Amino acid sequence: MKRIQDKLRENKKLVSIYFTAGFPNLDDTKVIIENLEKSGVDMIEIGLPFSDPLADGPTIQASSTKALKNGMTTQLLFEQLQNIRQTVKIPLLIMGYFNPILQFGVENFCKKCQEIGIDGLIIPDLPLEVYLSDYKSIFESYHLAPIFLITPQTSDDRIRLIDEASNAFIYMVSSSSVTGSRTAFDETQLAYFERIASLKLKNPQIIGFGISNSTTFKQATQFQKGAILGSHFVNHLEKYGSHDTESFIDTIV
C-alpha cells in the first residue's frame, strides 16, 4: 500500500498499465512486469483472468480466454510472482473479479498478496458495502489498498462514501461502456472529468477505459492524477509479444 501512496505523491502524471496474466503466453507474466518497469511505467495492474467478466470489452475478454486456455490459475499467478520484488520496485495491483478470490479464500488470497508484495486490489464486482462489512479488516491486516470504481452515473454522495473508504486512489471509469480503446474523449466525458475534480476528494483519481494514445492520455490527466492503459496494451502484446514495451510507452507519454 505504501508504494502506491508514495507514487501518488510524486509530482507527475502517472501511467498505469493493465495486462492479463498468462497472456499471450503462460510464462510471460514476470517478464512483462519487468519490461514495463524498465520502460518507465508508474504502476501495473495484473489481470486475474476469469471466465465470465462483467466490465471487460472484447479485447480483454479474449485475452482472459486465451490465458485460461494456456493454464493460468490463481495459484500459478502467485507462483509466478513469488520473487517479483527482487527485481521490481513500482506498485503492483491485482485486478480481477471476486469469484476466483472467493474460491481461493479471501484471507488466504490477501495473505499471499502480502507475501509476494502486491500493494492493492481492484475488484469491480465487490460492492463497497460488502467490503466494509465483511472484508475491510482483512485488507487492512495485510496492508492492501482497496481500489473502488466510479462511473459517470455514480452519484456525488456515493463518490464521497467511496472516497472515505479509500486510502490510495479512485479508479474513474471514463464512460458507462465496457473497456476498449478510443481516439479521443467527447465533451460529455471531459465534463465528467472536470466535475469529479471539482469535488476536491481526498484521494486522487486515475482514469481507465478508453486510453489508447497521447491525446486520450493528456485529456484524462488534465484534471486527474493519471491514466490506465489496458486494451491498447493487450493488443500490443498480441501483436508483438512481451517485448518492445518501451516503444509502446513512448507513443503514449
Side-chain angles (χ1 to χ4, degrees), residues 31-41 87 90 245-246:
V31 69
I32 290 172
I33 293 171
E34 291 171 342
N35 287 342
L36 283 169
E37 182 175 53
K38 291 173 185 175
S39 301
V41 165
T87 56
I90 61 175
T245 304
E246 188 170 356

Side-chain angles (χ1 to χ4, degrees), residues 25-109:
N25 301 302
L26 184 61
D27 297 325
D28 283 343
T29 307
K30 186 177 179 183
V31 69
I32 290 172
I33 293 171
E34 291 171 342
N35 287 342
L36 283 169
E37 182 175 53
K38 291 173 185 175
S39 301
V41 165
D42 296 294
M43 288 191 288
I44 299 172
E45 299 172 13
I46 305 159
L48 181 62
F50 181 51
S51 58
D52 298 298
L54 299 174
D56 297 327
T59 297
I60 292 177
Q61 282 190 36
S63 70
S64 290
T65 299
K66 177 73 181 300
L68 292 171
K69 287 181 178 178
N70 287 344
M72 178 52 67
T73 65
T74 305
Q75 180 60 41
L76 180 56
L77 175 59
F78 285 133
E79 291 172 7
Q80 291 180 343
L81 299 177
Q82 188 62 45
N83 299 310
I84 195 66
R85 284 305 177 190
Q86 294 179 7
T87 56
V88 173
K89 306 303 179 187
I90 61 175
L92 299 175
L93 302 92
I94 290 179
M95 183 171 187
Y97 294 95
F98 193 54
N99 186 282
I101 297 171
L102 192 62
Q103 289 184 5
F104 195 84
V106 176
E107 182 156 10
N108 192 32
F109 187 92

Side-chain angles (χ1 to χ4, degrees), residues 70-208:
N70 287 344
M72 178 52 67
T73 65
T74 305
Q75 180 60 41
L76 180 56
L77 175 59
F78 285 133
E79 291 172 7
Q80 291 180 343
L81 299 177
Q82 188 62 45
N83 299 310
I84 195 66
R85 284 305 177 190
Q86 294 179 7
T87 56
V88 173
K89 306 303 179 187
I90 61 175
L92 299 175
L93 302 92
I94 290 179
M95 183 171 187
Y97 294 95
F98 193 54
N99 186 282
I101 297 171
L102 192 62
Q103 289 184 5
F104 195 84
V106 176
E107 182 156 10
N108 192 32
F109 187 92
C110 292
K111 182 174 184 290
K112 292 296 292 184
C113 285
Q114 183 188 48
E115 289 173 358
I116 63 178
I118 297 297
D119 302 286
L121 298 178
I122 307 171
I123 310 172
D125 58 342
L126 176 61
L128 172 65
E129 292 77 10
V130 176
Y131 164 78
L132 291 173
S133 63
D134 296 354
Y135 302 113
K136 182 175 184 286
S137 62
I138 297 175
F139 276 53
E140 290 177 343
S141 295
Y142 296 101
H143 306 289
L144 292 168
I147 309 299
F148 299 103
L149 281 67
I150 64 171
T151 75
Q153 285 70 45
T154 308
S155 70
D156 287 0
D157 287 344
R158 186 161 184 82
I159 290 171
R160 293 194 185 282
L161 288 175
I162 287 171
D163 188 43
E164 185 61 33
S166 301
N167 53 20
F169 67 89
I170 294 172
Y171 189 128
M172 273 182 65
V173 177
S174 66
S175 68
S176 56
S177 62
V178 296
T179 57
S181 300
R182 67 191 69 225
T183 56
F185 292 115
D186 61 30
E187 292 300 321
T188 301
Q189 290 166 311
L190 296 176
Y192 160 58
F193 300 165
E194 188 169 5
R195 177 176 69 84
I196 299 303
S198 72
L199 295 178
K200 305 296 184 185
L201 304 173
K202 70 181 179 72
N203 291 280
Q205 307 94 52
I206 298 182
I207 295 179

Side-chain angles (χ1 to χ4, degrees), residues 18-19 23 58-60 62-63 180-181 212 230-241 248:
Y18 168 95
F19 76 97
F23 175 87
T59 297
I60 292 177
S63 70
S181 300
S212 64
S231 297
H232 192 48
F233 183 63
V234 170
N235 279 328
H236 173 85
L237 290 174
E238 185 171 26
K239 292 179 182 177
Y240 303 106
F248 172 85

